[in-house]
Amino acid sequence: GLPRDGAYVGPALIHCTPVTASLLRSVHGVAAEYIVEHSYGEGWKHEAAEITFYDANHCPGAAIVLIQLPDGKAHLHTGDMRYHPKMKEYPLLKEASESRLIDLLYLDTTYSHPKHNFVAQDAAIESIASQVEQLFTERHVSTLVLLSCYSIGKEKVLWECSRRTNRTVYVNERKHKMLQCIQGHKGVEKSSSIIDRCTQNENETNIHVVPMGLCGEMWPYFQPNYNECAKYAEKLEGTKYDRVVAFMPTGWADATNWNKKNAVSKRRVDLDQVQKR
């Protein structure tokens, strides 16, 4: 991977979208002299090739890369993308496709096996947000909701949960810094302005973002970590929660038959016993 903490010293320039550039500068500490920004739909030249980035409908700043060669042919690199019908209308991509000029197609094949048959993203988000909303309608039960997230990504889940419950979302300092970087993507996706619905006061809200992995593991099969969820809630000052409900929104949740059959799991945790270990 890319060296962090200012360790990248070139000599290659990094061509990327403005959001990725912001993350590189603020999070990875890459010097501005090694970064070249290109907005979506803005063509730029590298040697004899014309290159254009388009939104990949994945995490903020992710791009599909269209490379047009002098001989009229084109190469398309999908990157880590999630298909959306709007991609059919990307001007240069549409032109190259209709004219059958795409000579090489580079695919991200992480989930290419037929067994990976995901529900639509909107349906997955609705499922999580509606459950979170329902949890907070139950009286006489104090509930802490944990939303597992990678460094970047899952903003649509955070946005919808916050909107539906009219509550802020707690994020730690590092996550807050990353969310500041992705605000430039809000013109493409409104959830990239989720920072406006976030707080760094962990006692202000009962919806918390936690690192992917804290609540359990998905590989090689789903292994929930009940003890860590309970300990996380216990260390919070102020509100004492009756239950913790954690969500792990990831493609790996559907990766095996075991995961599909055991996607929902619960257990009562004896904190006294956990703390004695």
Side-chain angles (χ1 to χ4, degrees), residues 225-235 267-277:
N225 196 332
Y226 304 103
N227 292 348
E228 284 302 312
C229 292
K231 287 193 291 185
Y232 180 93
E234 179 66 15
K235 75 177 179 62
R267 178 181 298 172
R268 182 175 295 277
V269 175
D270 186 332
L271 271 171
D272 291 335
Q273 291 299 320
V274 171
Q275 291 168 348
K276 288 178 181 178
R277 295 176 183 172

Side-chain angles (χ1 to χ4, degrees), residues 20-193:
T20 301
S22 181
L23 289 165
L24 288 174
R25 289 190 296 267
S26 300
V27 179
H28 286 267
V30 177
E33 64 187 283
Y34 298 120
I35 302 171
V36 184
E37 298 181 24
H38 304 282
S39 298
Y40 291 132
E42 170 194 288
W44 51 282
K45 283 191 174 294
H46 178 69
E47 296 181 354
E50 181 84 10
I51 302 174
T52 306
F53 291 155
Y54 286 114
D55 176 35
N57 191 37
H58 191 244
C59 60
I64 291 172
V65 184
L66 179 66
I67 304 170
Q68 296 170 291
L69 304 175
D71 62 4
K73 293 182 179 180
H75 296 175
L76 178 63
H77 197 304
T78 67
D80 197 353
M81 54 85 80
R82 188 181 185 111
Y83 173 74
H84 189 282
K86 70 180 180 180
M87 294 173 179
K88 293 181 179 180
E89 302 305 317
Y90 290 159
L92 296 178
L93 181 55
K94 181 178 181 179
E95 179 184 339
S97 177
E98 291 178 347
S99 302
R100 304 182 69 83
L101 296 175
I102 298 178
D103 185 53
L104 284 178
L105 176 63
Y106 296 86
L107 293 170
D108 182 315
T109 58
T110 304
Y111 295 114
S112 63
H113 194 283
K115 71 177 182 180
H116 298 300
N117 184 21
F118 300 131
V119 299
Q121 186 181 70
D122 288 346
I125 294 169
E126 167 63 23
S127 175
I128 295 172
S130 62
Q131 289 181 71
V132 171
E133 185 177 25
Q134 178 62 35
L135 288 169
F136 293 146
T137 64
E138 300 177 22
R139 297 182 178 182
H140 312 303
V141 180
S142 179
T143 303
L144 174 65
V145 169
L146 303 181
L147 300 176
S148 302
C149 291
Y150 299 114
S151 296
I152 289 295
K154 316 305 179 189
E155 289 80 21
K156 293 178 183 179
V157 173
L158 308 186
W159 176 274
E160 193 60 16
C161 287
S162 174
R163 188 190 70 80
R164 295 274 285 267
T165 62
N166 196 30
R167 299 169 190 247
T168 55
V169 177
Y170 166 74
V171 295
N172 62 25
E173 182 178 359
R174 175 176 170 78
K175 183 68 174 180
H176 192 269
K177 187 176 183 179
M178 291 184 176
L179 294 181
Q180 287 179 316
C181 294
I182 70 170
Q183 290 184 90
H185 195 71
K186 62 185 178 183
V188 177
E189 169 51 54
K190 64 182 179 181
S191 65
S192 292
S193 61

